[in-house]
Amino acid sequence: MPQTIIIDTETTGRNEPQAVEIAWIAPNTPAQLQTVADFQQRYLPDKPIEFGAMATHHILPADLEGCPSPSDFALPPDTAYIIGHNIDYDWQVIGSPDVRRICTLAMARRIWPNTDSHSLSALTYFLATDLDKARRAIQNAHSAWHDIHFTRDLLACILKEHPVDSWDELWHFSEDCRIPTHMPFGKHRGVPIPDLPADYVAWARRNLPDMDPYLRTALNRAFPSA
């Protein structure tokens, strides 16, 4: 069974999402990314699919008749790392299992900071050698199964820019990439973290108990005594 999987979910929507489709592939090593196992399954949620989500994945309620409950899904028992584009979303959808998360979105933002969009489709175009081929692939892709393969292609490009010897080394790089360099919200949005006013940092620490842990790390690094 795999220790590392690339995973994607299609869901009921933004409001307490449930999976309607889950797919994963297990690559052998970061150097090769050859699939050694795979999985694809649709699920019948106990809530309606929001129309915004339906417009994205084009999965209709009738497509899910007779499918199992999303609560039936479980990762392979020895999974140590999961990889995905904005992986925290998929991780939460599958029940926040105790595994390490590797985020291709965070790594892509670090490696290609000046790209106008870091969505999976936009990066597929950005990195394509044949735009027409990329368009055909994206236009025909409306499933978690297609997205995990797009994610693997993106991961291959990331690893060309930042080669690693192990999944653990890639996880450490992903963790570093998730630490913001600029304030992501509020009146100081866009300001480099080290340039924030010290009194604002002190206020944020006191009044934002649910602050993103990666933002807290960035503030602690820049203002160890604020």
Side-chain angles (χ1 to χ4, degrees):
M1 294 298 289
Q3 286 193 333
T4 298
I5 66 172
I6 299 170
I7 192 168
D8 186 69
T9 64
E10 303 295 347
T11 72
T12 53
R14 294 177 178 271
N15 182 31
E16 298 182 354
Q18 296 181 19
V20 297
E21 183 178 56
I22 300 174
W24 57 255
I25 52 177
N28 57 348
T29 66
Q32 295 179 329
L33 295 182
Q34 293 180 351
T35 299
V36 296
D38 60 51
F39 173 87
Q40 181 185 20
Q41 177 66 57
R42 286 185 170 179
Y43 295 94
L44 179 63
D46 59 17
K47 62 186 304 182
I49 302 172
E50 298 170 17
F51 291 113
M54 200 179 296
T56 298
H57 53 57
H58 305 289
I59 297 173
L60 307 181
D63 299 329
L64 305 176
E65 292 180 5
C67 291
S69 166
S71 63
D72 288 356
F73 174 78
L75 290 172
D78 65 345
T79 302
Y81 303 91
I82 59 173
I83 302 171
H85 205 65
N86 191 22
I87 187 60
D88 284 354
Y89 178 81
D90 301 293
W91 175 70
Q92 291 170 359
V93 168
I94 64 173
S96 306
D98 183 19
V99 292
R100 289 181 166 181
R101 291 159 276 159
I102 298 173
C103 186
T104 55
L105 174 59
M107 294 186 291
R109 284 172 170 165
R110 172 69 62 84
I111 293 172
W112 300 290
N114 298 321
T115 306
D116 63 281
S117 171
H118 292 91
S119 72
L120 188 56
S121 294
L123 287 166
T124 299
Y125 275 123
F126 171 66
L127 297 166
T129 56
D130 184 332
L131 288 176
D132 187 58
K133 182 179 179 181
R135 177 174 63 181
R136 291 195 302 272
I138 292 171
Q139 285 178 333
N140 293 325
H142 302 296
S143 70
W145 181 252
H146 286 90
D147 282 348
I148 55 176
H149 289 85
F150 290 139
T151 302
R152 179 174 60 182
D153 292 343
L154 171 59
L155 180 60
C157 294
I158 289 170
L159 289 168
K160 286 180 181 179
E161 299 294 327
H162 187 88
V164 300
D165 294 324
S166 68
W167 296 119
D168 191 63
E169 187 178 345
L170 184 64
W171 173 74
H172 281 286
F173 177 59
S174 171
E175 287 290 284
D176 185 65
C177 291
R178 296 178 73 172
I179 298 171
T181 58
H182 293 68
M183 191 64 192
F185 59 83
K187 64 179 182 179
H188 295 294
R189 181 177 181 177
V191 174
I193 297 291
D195 295 341
L196 290 170
D199 59 344
Y200 175 76
V201 173
W203 175 89
R205 285 171 169 163
R206 290 194 308 269
N207 293 282
L208 301 176
D210 297 327
M211 182 190 304
D212 177 83
Y214 296 98
L215 175 57
R216 188 175 295 278
T217 295
L219 295 178
N220 289 343
R221 287 182 177 179
F223 298 88
S225 60

